[in-house]
Amino acid sequence: MTNTVSSRDPKIANDVKQAIDSETASLREVSLQIHSNPELGYEEVFAHKILTDYIEERGFTVTRHAYGLKTAFVAEYVSPAAKALIADGHVGLASALGTKVALEKNNLVGRIKLFGTPAEETTGGKIDMINKGAFNGLDACMMSHPAPGDVVYCTILSVGGMTVEYFGKASHASASPWEGVNALDAMVHAYNGLALVRQQTAPTSRIHCVITNGGAAANIIPDYASGKIMYRATSADDHTNVRDAVMKVVNAAAEATGCTVKITKEMEYQAVPINEHLASRYASYTADLGVKYLPRAVQESLPSGSTDMGNVAHVVPGIHPVFNIVGLNGEIDRSISNHSFGFVAQAKTEVAHEASLRSAKGLALTGLDVLIEDGFAAAIKDSFEKQVLKGGSGLSSLEQKLKAMTGIGAGCGCH
């Protein structure tokens, strides 16, 4: 059996929207419960139970603690299957439900997988799952993320992270400071060195550093100091250049102060290559739902962060749009940023819930087209192979233009 329709069919589109709208109260309850019970990476035990129980009760086959990760899961629905789709995250919960109902009501073939992926903000659960084959055999991957604006064409940066520890020799800071080897001096040297390196990095790259341990008492030469460093870029080449510059500074600080250094790498997320076919289809569907987007060039120039979804989108065609939980009128609210207390408070509002459902419907309709529209999955795959697998730049159109003019990429990341 094959499918010869698409989500542009009014009945199919309506089935998706009604399926999600019918669960709005239960989805909001799930969201509020998780919001009220924040958890650390790889310890999302409460969220794991809430999400797996919810999706299992609605007809999905659930594998808990998937791929050897305590808080990962896979929820799968199969009609007489030919293809596969991945959704991820809380919005993915609603989009998976909408897609499933549309397949059932219209006797369509397809397979849906909803992945619960832990620890995005630390070491990246998706990377562990990639290494264990979780995303093999899928035709597309999609997730969306809350933000203070609606953006499809995000310039999502690569990111690397490390913990740096310097080891010196303790001594009395007044009686015999010359006997000591100051580990804090090394950490400060590194911090200041990274600040100077920023001048020689591309405008689209980012370097962040915090000192996490600078000693215990002012009258003791610190024999131990530590810090955390992150670096970001828009392209693989720039990422390598920034990482190499960071490593030189970190090691030079040890040599300059007579300390030894231990470097523990913690994350390496790739930039997200946006699949043009998925992105334009999602933008079209969400625009029909009332989302107002700024021109593409403006979207691509907006500040952004990083995600382990970038690694997934290098093995499966994907997108990672963001949706505005602050307002529904298309304006970007620059007074509230991700990872702030104001954003936390906004995330539990009715406006945020409505915005989440709009994004979920866009993902569901786009994902359904991957499964049922003739030629769409093939076009997505062809674009992916040219952009990612065969060494395409992976840069947005704006980045390519600026790269040609100035030798650098466009877009910017969190700082």
Side-chain angles (χ1 to χ4, degrees):
M1 179 180 179
T2 59
N3 302 312
T4 57
V5 291
S6 88
S7 297
R8 298 182 187 279
D9 182 310
K11 179 185 181 305
I12 295 175
N14 195 53
D15 287 339
V16 170
K17 297 170 189 176
Q18 285 187 348
I20 293 174
D21 287 339
S22 70
E23 294 283 1
T24 182
S26 62
L27 288 166
R28 178 150 174 73
E29 179 61 24
V30 167
S31 178
L32 290 175
Q33 287 187 65
I34 293 174
H35 186 278
S36 299
N37 292 273
E39 298 169 293
L40 298 176
Y42 293 113
E43 298 297 330
E44 309 96 335
V45 176
F46 180 82
H48 180 273
K49 177 171 174 52
I50 290 290
L51 293 170
T52 55
D53 288 352
Y54 182 92
I55 199 73
E56 189 172 56
E57 289 169 0
R58 285 153 180 80
F60 282 72
T61 301
V62 176
T63 302
R64 294 170 171 83
H65 320 300
Y67 302 101
L69 300 174
K70 181 172 68 173
T71 53
F73 70 83
V74 182
E76 184 172 7
Y77 169 76
V78 183
S79 67
K83 299 182 184 295
L85 168 73
I86 165 185
D88 183 279
H90 303 167
V91 171
L93 192 71
S95 62
L97 289 174
T99 308
K100 172 181 177 289
V101 169
L103 291 176
E104 289 175 331
K105 284 191 173 183
N106 295 279
N107 195 31
L108 298 168
V109 300
R111 178 162 61 107
I112 310 161
K113 282 189 173 184
L114 172 68
F115 287 81
T117 59
E120 179 188 19
E121 297 293 340
T122 52
T123 58
K126 295 182 187 67
I127 297 173
D128 293 329
M129 296 171 74
I130 289 170
N131 293 336
K132 294 179 180 179
F135 307 109
N136 294 349
L138 302 177
D139 291 297
C141 58
M142 296 183 294
M143 68 173 288
S144 60
H145 196 288
D150 290 298
V151 184
V152 176
Y153 297 99
C154 309
T155 302
I156 298 179
L157 310 178
S158 63
V159 64
M162 64 180 72
T163 292
V164 175
E165 299 172 281
Y166 290 102
F167 301 89
K169 179 183 176 183
S171 182
H172 196 284
S174 178
S176 55
W178 54 85
E179 296 290 345
V181 178
N182 197 318
L184 178 58
D185 280 353
M187 190 65 241
V188 171
H189 195 305
Y191 185 93
N192 289 331
L194 293 173
L196 296 175
V197 162
R198 288 193 185 100
Q199 184 180 17
Q200 274 69 53
T201 59
T204 52
S205 299
R206 294 290 184 268
I207 301 173
H208 336 298
C209 179
V210 294
I211 298 174
T212 54
N213 189 318
N219 64 336
I220 301 173
I221 300 295
D223 63 351
Y224 177 81
S226 62
K228 287 187 175 291
I229 300 170
M230 299 175 72
Y231 45 90
R232 306 180 197 247
T234 56
S235 70
D237 287 345
D238 282 347
H239 183 92
T240 299
N241 291 338
V242 175
R243 181 183 61 207
D244 290 349
V246 167
M247 293 295 290
K248 288 177 181 178
V249 168
V250 168
N251 285 305
E255 184 174 354
T257 57
C259 293
T260 58
V261 61
K262 177 183 178 183
I263 301 169
T264 304
K265 293 184 179 180
E266 296 177 341
M267 64 166 64
E268 287 287 339
Y269 296 176
Q270 294 174 283
V272 177
I274 299 172
N275 187 277
E276 183 65 37
H277 297 282
L278 290 171
S280 60
R281 191 66 60 93
Y282 172 86
S284 175
Y285 282 132
T286 49
D288 289 343
L289 293 166
V291 178
K292 298 178 178 64
Y293 291 109
L294 295 171
R296 177 169 176 168
V298 176
Q299 293 183 50
E300 291 172 337
S301 70
L302 294 171
S304 185
S306 308
T307 169
D308 55 357
M309 182 65 183
N311 298 63
V312 177
H314 276 80
V315 297
V316 182
I319 54 172
H320 186 289
V322 301
F323 58 93
N324 191 347
I325 67 167
V326 182
L328 302 173
N329 59 3
E331 295 182 5
I332 294 177
D333 191 329
R334 301 183 187 278
S335 68
I336 297 179
S337 65
N338 290 50
H339 297 194
S340 69
F341 288 113
F343 195 81
V344 171
Q346 187 64 31
K348 64 179 180 180
T349 64
E350 288 285 353
V351 169
H353 181 64
E354 184 176 344
S356 298
L357 295 189
R358 287 200 309 193
S359 180
K361 291 170 185 176
L363 291 179
L365 292 165
T366 303
L368 195 58
D369 281 349
V370 176
L371 298 175
I372 69 176
E373 183 179 311
D374 281 350
F376 190 48
I380 291 167
K381 181 180 179 181
D382 180 67
S383 176
F384 172 72
E385 289 178 345
K386 292 176 180 177
Q387 180 185 21
V388 179
L389 298 186
K390 294 182 179 178
S393 69
L395 301 178
S396 68
S397 58
L398 178 63
E399 289 175 307
Q400 290 170 10
K401 291 174 185 176
L402 285 180
K403 190 114 180 159
M405 291 188 292
T406 66
I408 61 171
C412 52
C414 300
H415 187 69

